[in-house]
Amino acid sequence: MTRIIVCASGKGGVGKTTLVANLGLALVELKKDVIIVDANLTTPNLGLHLGIPLYPTTLHDVVKGRAHIRDAIYEHESGLKIIPAGISIKDLKGADPKEIPNAFLGLLGTTDIVLVDASAGLGREALSALEAGDELLLITTPDLSSVTDALKTAKLAEQLGTRVTGVVINRTEGKKHEMTRADISAMLGLPILAEIPEDKHVQRAVAKRLPVVHHKPHAKSSREIRRLARRIAGHPEERRGIFDFLLRK
């Protein structure tokens, strides 16, 4: 059975696209067949994170009725598959986000997991992505405004019949002004699946157009993303030993 997991945030700047690219690769490492989809029709950049900005057929062509969604699937050298969105201004003309849920039906039974990078905010694009998903993975940073917007996203997902799997707290720095894990969980009424730290290696990896789980596999962020992947895939968590702490630098 294909799981369609929408990754949404409620606001921009939380690191959602970076997480989708890296989480997809981490799931492939667990022998899952994974397709990541850039459902941000207005400002897409998921392909950039894999070092491939341009594709002949994109999600824009699919929602315009010019191509079947399977024609827009490309495979990265890692084995991760991607359905990109077009980055040209002309791609926007005639692209209706309402067609996204119908387009996704063509992926059912073709893969294990579809990870959808939803548009930031609560506009038509984001709502269409939420409607297309079976599950919602809520991404937030540990600040009140981000968590408040995440709460709105969770409520909308529930109204659309999309199950909220849990929350990923991204870009944590451990500073006093940040909301705690317990406070975020209480405010959202949802389990926290992962806390991914702010990591200099992530920005360096993005600049090199490489996912951090490949660029720096032993970085703190990479190890936490892999733990998140194991939870999503239903694999038992790895035991942490002395080498785990030695490598977390």
Side-chain angles (χ1 to χ4, degrees):
M1 179 182 294
T2 300
R3 295 169 63 189
I4 300 180
I5 305 174
V6 179
C7 299
S9 59
K11 67 174 293 186
V14 302
K16 174 174 48 60
T17 300
T18 302
L19 179 61
V20 168
N22 283 279
L23 181 58
L25 282 168
L27 286 165
V28 168
E29 291 175 354
L30 296 175
K31 309 302 181 185
K32 295 294 183 181
D33 190 272
V34 182
I35 300 174
I36 58 175
V37 184
D38 196 337
N40 188 340
L41 298 179
T42 307
T43 54
N45 55 37
L46 185 58
L48 296 174
H49 287 256
L50 298 179
I52 314 173
L54 299 173
Y55 299 82
T57 304
T58 69
L59 186 62
H60 282 87
D61 297 305
V62 177
V63 299
K64 292 177 184 180
R66 295 177 179 174
H68 190 277
I69 194 164
R70 296 184 193 179
D71 298 326
I73 299 175
Y74 302 88
E75 187 167 339
H76 185 256
E77 60 185 14
S78 64
L80 176 65
K81 297 168 186 174
I82 178 172
I83 296 175
I87 61 175
S88 172
I89 293 295
K90 66 180 182 181
D91 289 320
L92 295 174
K93 187 176 181 180
D96 190 346
K98 291 181 180 179
E99 297 299 322
I100 291 177
N102 288 332
F104 278 21
L105 294 176
L107 297 176
L108 298 179
T110 66
T111 187
D112 297 324
I113 298 173
V114 177
L115 285 181
V116 182
D117 181 18
S119 175
L122 299 173
R124 288 199 308 160
E125 290 178 42
L127 291 177
S128 292
L130 287 175
E131 185 179 356
D134 306 308
E135 307 171 39
L136 168 63
L137 188 63
L138 203 55
I139 319 299
T140 185
T141 47
D143 59 273
L144 185 59
S145 61
S146 181
V147 176
T148 300
D149 288 340
L151 179 60
K152 296 175 186 175
T153 304
K155 295 300 183 185
L156 282 172
E158 291 173 358
Q159 291 175 17
L160 292 169
T162 304
R163 181 171 63 86
V164 185
T165 302
V167 182
V168 175
I169 308 173
N170 201 24
R171 308 187 67 175
T172 63
E173 296 183 83
K175 295 183 177 179
K176 291 183 178 179
H177 67 267
E178 293 180 350
M179 292 183 68
T180 67
R181 178 189 184 110
D183 287 342
I184 294 172
S185 181
M187 183 171 173
L188 297 177
L190 295 165
I192 306 300
L193 301 182
E195 288 184 80
I196 302 173
E198 183 71 73
D199 190 341
K200 61 184 179 182
H201 295 301
V202 173
Q203 296 305 317
R204 291 174 181 174
V206 171
K208 293 183 178 181
R209 298 184 180 181
L210 294 170
V212 72
V213 293
H214 281 188
H215 178 58
K216 286 291 181 180
H218 298 303
K220 293 180 180 180
S221 55
S222 297
R223 296 179 72 82
E224 189 64 17
I225 290 169
R226 285 196 172 93
R227 278 191 280 270
L228 173 62
R230 295 186 73 85
R231 295 195 69 173
I232 290 174
H235 288 211
E237 290 198 30
E238 294 179 306
R239 293 180 63 184
R240 299 190 190 186
I242 183 64
F243 291 107
D244 182 72
F245 292 98
L246 289 174
L247 290 169
R248 293 181 68 187
K249 296 179 180 180

